[in-house]
Amino acid sequence: MSLFGLGSRNQKTFRPKKNAPSGTKGAQLQKHIDATLGSGNLREAVRLPPGEDINEWLAVNTVDFFNQVNILYGTLTEFCTPTNCPLMSAGPKYEYRWADGVNIKKPIEVSAPKYVDYLMDWIETQLDDELIFPQKLGAPFPSNFQDVVRTIFKRLFRVYAHIYHSHFQKIVSLKEEAHLNTCFKHFVLFTWEFRLIDKGELAPLYDLVESILQL
């Protein structure tokens, strides 16, 4: 069985799949995503559909990318341990410290699995907050919505950066590198389309990003 299926899970870091906001156009937009992804044209799949609200599009895709990263990281919890990955890093030059501005205000040094655990908890809190991600049709998005989305994507990128730098050989041995590469390509094209991540943040994987974007 593929490890991207229903194999053994670490419940602490592999979470149930979240659904698109129910009262919004989420379900309809999710169908559009599924249909365009099925065509194999990722550049087309990330574009804002004509006539759609950009915040609705960002919201449903944020849930989608959260689920993708969740599943990818969930396959590695057996290998990404506090012993193997005592720091949340992306190669020798980049280390990420955790702060959420509420419970942990000053950035702290944590292991990679602890960082991802904090991150997934924090993202779930944002997604479940109806003042940030409205559930009811016609409910307004907050003025800082796109800033929240940018922070979520910036931090999800760090999980990809850690996977590529610390666990890529394991992914290859599991024969899942094509899946990882496709997920990351989709992620990069989406974040580039909507300018969600500053170029400097992409540095740990910039060569790979550049090859995807064909800059």
Side-chain angles (χ1 to χ4, degrees):
M1 175 186 279
S2 165
L3 285 180
F4 289 97
L6 299 173
S8 62
R9 301 175 181 177
N10 178 332
Q11 293 295 339
K12 194 71 181 151
T13 49
F14 187 99
R15 295 137 198 277
K17 184 177 179 182
K18 294 195 79 68
N19 295 317
S22 56
T24 65
K25 290 184 180 176
Q28 178 188 337
L29 290 173
Q30 185 63 52
K31 285 180 183 174
H32 178 86
I33 292 171
D34 293 342
T36 49
L37 281 177
S39 73
N41 187 342
L42 292 176
R43 289 183 187 276
E44 188 61 36
V46 302
R47 291 192 182 115
L48 179 67
E52 296 296 350
D53 178 73
I54 187 170
N55 286 338
E56 293 273 10
W57 185 238
L58 290 173
V60 73
N61 277 280
T62 300
V63 174
D64 208 31
F65 285 111
F66 168 75
N67 286 329
Q68 283 186 29
V69 174
N70 219 350
I71 291 168
L72 280 167
Y73 184 75
T75 67
L76 293 169
T77 53
E78 183 184 340
F79 316 106
C80 186
T81 64
T83 302
N84 293 337
C85 303
L87 296 175
M88 179 60 177
S89 61
K93 291 184 182 176
Y94 302 97
E95 178 191 330
Y96 303 116
R97 300 187 176 199
W98 178 257
D100 58 17
V102 180
N103 298 316
I104 301 173
K105 295 184 179 179
K106 185 177 179 182
I108 58 171
E109 188 178 279
V110 292
S111 68
K114 189 63 181 172
Y115 184 99
V116 176
D117 197 34
Y118 277 136
L119 173 58
M120 296 307 181
D121 277 345
W122 177 80
I123 294 176
E124 281 197 302
T125 300
Q126 312 311 304
L127 297 180
D128 291 340
D129 186 340
E130 293 196 30
L131 294 177
I132 302 174
F133 283 80
Q135 297 285 326
K136 293 176 183 170
L137 195 61
F141 286 88
S143 59
N144 70 332
F145 177 70
Q146 293 188 18
D147 290 334
V148 174
V149 168
R150 284 189 186 93
T151 302
I152 290 173
F153 276 88
K154 175 179 75 175
R155 290 175 171 175
L156 285 176
F157 171 82
R158 294 172 178 179
V159 182
Y160 274 115
H162 178 70
I163 290 173
Y164 272 106
H165 277 279
S166 298
H167 302 293
F168 188 68
Q169 288 309 311
K170 180 54 66 176
I171 290 280
V172 170
S173 73
L174 295 171
K175 296 183 168 53
E176 299 292 1
E177 70 269 25
H179 182 79
L180 170 66
N181 291 338
T182 300
C183 288
F184 185 61
K185 181 177 181 180
H186 184 201
F187 180 90
V188 167
L189 291 172
F190 186 82
T191 55
W192 190 261
E193 178 78 9
F194 298 101
R195 300 297 185 262
L196 297 176
I197 303 179
D198 291 338
K199 192 173 176 181
E201 284 283 339
L202 300 172
L205 295 177
Y206 196 71
D207 288 348
L208 184 55
V209 169
E210 208 171 27
S211 71
I212 290 169
L213 297 173
Q214 298 175 330
L215 295 176

